[in-house]
Structures are given as structure tokens and as C-alpha cells.
Amino acid sequence: MTDELTEITVVGDDKTGIVANITTLLFERGVNVVDIDQAIRDGMFRMTLRADTDEMVCTEATLRDALTELGDDLGVDIQLRFPTDREAKRIAVLVTKESHCLQAILESYATGELDAELSVVIGNHDDLKPLASQYDIPFVDVGDDSGIPNEDQILSVLDEYQIDLAVLARYMRILSPKIVFRYEDRIINVHPSLLPSFPGAAAYRQAKEEGVRIAGVTAHYVTTDLDQGPIITQRAFDVPDDTDVETIRNRGQPLEADALLEAVQLHLDNAVSVHRGRTGLRSGTDSSGYQLGMPADVETTQPDNPVDNRENLIDMPSESTQDIAND
């Protein structure tokens, strides 16, 4: 049902009257609000409305103009996406200096495997501009001499290219609510750990210092909580005894690209849904074309016994039975 609904995103400074004014405008034009979600972070207000516009008493252009005018009056940014708007698939890739994830995305795009238009690469350094140029993809440097990005410029570029999905291909900066709120469930990041373990910086070093035997990578939707967004795909790999951080990184980086590409394709295929901070495959999705976690052949190496046979435990003392029921 969500795919057939119009999405209205409101972002701006928190103040009274925003919800009432917008919902009143929609009601007066015959728009039925089906779902509404609100959040406030660092004084920034975000509201996402999903509405049925099939029986509205105005044109799409009229509704868009009315919401834009109301947003100007309220001092907030209102973005409107009708179901037909979401049929286009335009991607922006955000990068810093590491090339491996961008390289994988560019190659997939060049071979036609990536079913979308790769519109622009945005960097907070210009190190990867030559790589983007090899594939004739525009590159926009939004960073100052220290690599601090201009987020207003990022938003301007995303708007200019009418971006549907932003992909963080080892973009080593935290996005503020100003961007995240506007692109909720439309920003995908790859993190070099099996989240929720080792969030934040230097994840491979964290894995080494904690002495893990299995490390991994995670592609996830970005939220305002660092590295805590809904997980889409993961990959895992063994950590050899007494290995160093560089070896762990070399093992992980190809899997970063692999997990990120799969997460992007899942999003483009509209195969993944988000509910209460968790992802799931949409009903009717054929999962055989995806590798969400470990390869299927890993199952053949997993022991399948022994496991608790709870049917045989019914004669245990009542206290123990109660403990089992509460597991």
C-alpha cells in the first residue's frame, strides 16, 4: 500500500502550528492522511506524511504549489513525492578518499547491472574526481581545505539532480539531521563492522583490539543515530590469529563494496521495507537473487545437533519448566 501513497516530508526549525496548518491544507483539498511520523533532533523538526491523493479535489501541480507556499509562510521545507515521481531512479554517491566502493558502483553502472541513473558523485575532497571522470560522471567537491562539507551545497546538488537515493561509499563524515530528515530511508551507508558491534570510527581497529574471530561489514539505512539505522545486508569473514589491522581491512573492503551494491539493488528493486527500525523483504520478493548475509553454502558446514528437544522436557520440575517457558 505504501508504494501507492504520496509522501510529504517537512523539515525545519521546531515550532508550534506546523502539523495543524499542513494537515488542514491537505484536508481542504481532499487528501487523506494515512500515516504520520514526527521527530525532533538538535532543534530540527521532521514530519513524514503518507497520504492517499486519489480523490483529492485539485491537480498535483496545484497541491505542490500550495504546499510550497505554506512552507515559505511557516519557514519550513516541504517536499512532495507522488507515486509517479518515485518511478525515476537517480543516484548520488558521496565519497571521501577511499575508492573501492565507488569503483564497484561505477563498474556496475557501466555494465548495466545497476538499474538506475548514476547522476553525480559528491566528495568532501577531490581525490576521486579522476575516477568519476573516467566514467563521465559529474563530480562536485563540497568540502573546504580541511574536508569539512557544506551541507547546504550538498542539498542543492541533490535537488539539482533530483536525486532519489544517496549512497555513502565510504563517505567519512556524519550527515546532520538537515540532510537525513529530508532523505529518510533514502540514504544507504556501508560500515566496516557487523553492526551493532563496533559503531563509529576505526571499526576494523576496534575488532582487532577486541580479539574477534569473525568480523564483517554492514550496509544500512542512515538515521540521525550514528551507525544505528535499519540493517539491509551484512557480510562476514574470518580474522586470522595474530593478524594486523591492515590485513583485516584488506579482507573487509571487497565485502564492503559487495554488501553496499546489494543493498542499493534491493532498494532499487523495491524489495526491502522498513518497519519500526528493522528491514524485511517485501511480500512476494524472490530472495534467491540476493545474499543478505552469509552465502547459502555456509549452511552445509553448520552443525545441526544437538539442540534442545523441548517436547521431552515436559516432565521436568515445574520451576525449571517455567524457566524454559520464559526463555
Side-chain angles (χ1 to χ4, degrees), residues 2 119 200:
T2 303
S119 301

Side-chain angles (χ1 to χ4, degrees), residues 217-239:
V217 304
T218 303
H220 64 97
Y221 285 114
V222 173
T223 66
T224 53
D225 296 313
L226 179 63
D227 296 331
Q228 296 182 45
I231 292 170
I232 308 172
T233 59
Q234 293 186 303
R235 299 287 188 272
F237 59 93
D238 287 330
V239 178

Side-chain angles (χ1 to χ4, degrees), residues 33-175:
V33 176
V34 175
D35 180 68
I36 183 170
D37 179 65
Q38 303 172 55
I40 299 173
R41 191 65 177 262
D42 299 333
M44 182 75 65
F45 171 82
R46 187 271 300 163
M47 177 172 67
T48 303
L49 288 143
R50 292 177 176 84
D52 184 351
T53 53
D54 286 347
E55 298 183 8
M56 68 179 178
V57 293
C58 65
T59 65
E60 292 184 358
T62 299
L63 180 62
R64 194 184 299 274
D65 290 343
L67 285 171
T68 298
E69 182 178 347
L70 178 60
D72 291 340
D73 292 340
L74 296 173
V76 297
D77 177 45
I78 302 179
Q79 299 293 327
L80 183 65
R81 298 178 76 226
F82 291 100
T84 52
D85 295 332
R86 301 197 295 273
E87 292 176 359
K89 299 172 182 177
R90 291 176 287 268
I91 295 177
V93 181
L94 278 70
V95 298
T96 296
K97 294 184 177 182
E98 295 183 17
S99 64
H100 55 287
C101 286
L102 176 61
Q103 180 75 50
I105 292 171
L106 289 168
E107 290 177 355
S108 181
Y109 177 66
T111 59
E113 296 176 24
L114 190 64
D115 184 21
E117 175 188 318
L118 180 49
S119 301
V120 63
V121 175
I122 302 172
N124 64 312
H125 292 278
D126 64 1
D127 296 57
L128 299 182
K129 182 176 181 178
L131 179 57
S133 297
Q134 289 178 25
Y135 292 83
D136 296 322
I137 305 298
F139 184 96
V140 180
D141 184 359
V142 298
D144 63 14
D145 292 340
S146 300
I148 299 174
N150 182 330
E151 290 205 331
D152 288 332
Q153 186 180 2
I154 293 176
L155 285 173
S156 178
V157 173
L158 296 177
D159 183 61
E160 176 187 351
Y161 286 92
Q162 298 180 308
I163 295 303
D164 301 294
L165 176 67
V167 180
L168 309 188
R170 301 299 287 136
Y171 179 68
M172 309 302 287
R173 288 284 177 172
I174 298 173
L175 296 176

Side-chain angles (χ1 to χ4, degrees), residues 9-22:
T9 303
V10 183
V11 178
D13 293 336
D14 185 31
K15 62 182 72 174
T16 59
I18 297 176
V19 178
N21 278 278
I22 293 174

Side-chain angles (χ1 to χ4, degrees), residues 150-309:
N150 182 330
E151 290 205 331
D152 288 332
Q153 186 180 2
I154 293 176
L155 285 173
S156 178
V157 173
L158 296 177
D159 183 61
E160 176 187 351
Y161 286 92
Q162 298 180 308
I163 295 303
D164 301 294
L165 176 67
V167 180
L168 309 188
R170 301 299 287 136
Y171 179 68
M172 309 302 287
R173 288 284 177 172
I174 298 173
L175 296 176
S176 76
K178 180 188 294 188
I179 294 178
V180 175
F181 277 168
R182 284 174 169 82
Y183 288 86
E184 187 176 22
D185 296 340
R186 293 193 290 139
I187 305 175
I188 296 177
N189 179 51
V190 64
H191 182 76
S193 80
L194 289 173
L195 292 174
S197 297
F198 312 135
Y204 288 137
R205 182 170 297 280
Q206 291 184 62
K208 164 64 178 174
E209 291 175 350
E210 293 297 328
V212 301
R213 295 299 185 178
I214 296 176
V217 304
T218 303
H220 64 97
Y221 285 114
V222 173
T223 66
T224 53
D225 296 313
L226 179 63
D227 296 331
Q228 296 182 45
I231 292 170
I232 308 172
T233 59
Q234 293 186 303
R235 299 287 188 272
F237 59 93
D238 287 330
V239 178
D241 193 28
D242 295 328
T243 191
D244 56 21
V245 175
E246 187 64 25
T247 300
I248 297 174
R249 182 180 293 108
N250 290 340
R251 288 188 169 216
Q253 284 186 342
L255 294 179
E256 292 173 26
D258 189 53
L260 181 60
L261 265 177
E262 180 176 62
V264 169
Q265 196 59 60
L266 279 160
H267 180 92
L268 295 175
D269 291 345
N270 198 32
V272 62
S273 63
V274 180
H275 181 65
R276 294 183 178 179
R278 296 171 64 90
T279 59
L281 290 180
R282 292 189 186 278
S283 177
T285 298
D286 181 6
S287 62
S288 62
Y290 305 109
Q291 180 194 320
L292 302 180
M294 296 291 287
D297 56 11
V298 170
E299 292 292 330
T300 63
T301 65
Q302 293 277 19
D304 57 10
N305 272 295
V307 295
D308 288 342
N309 187 346

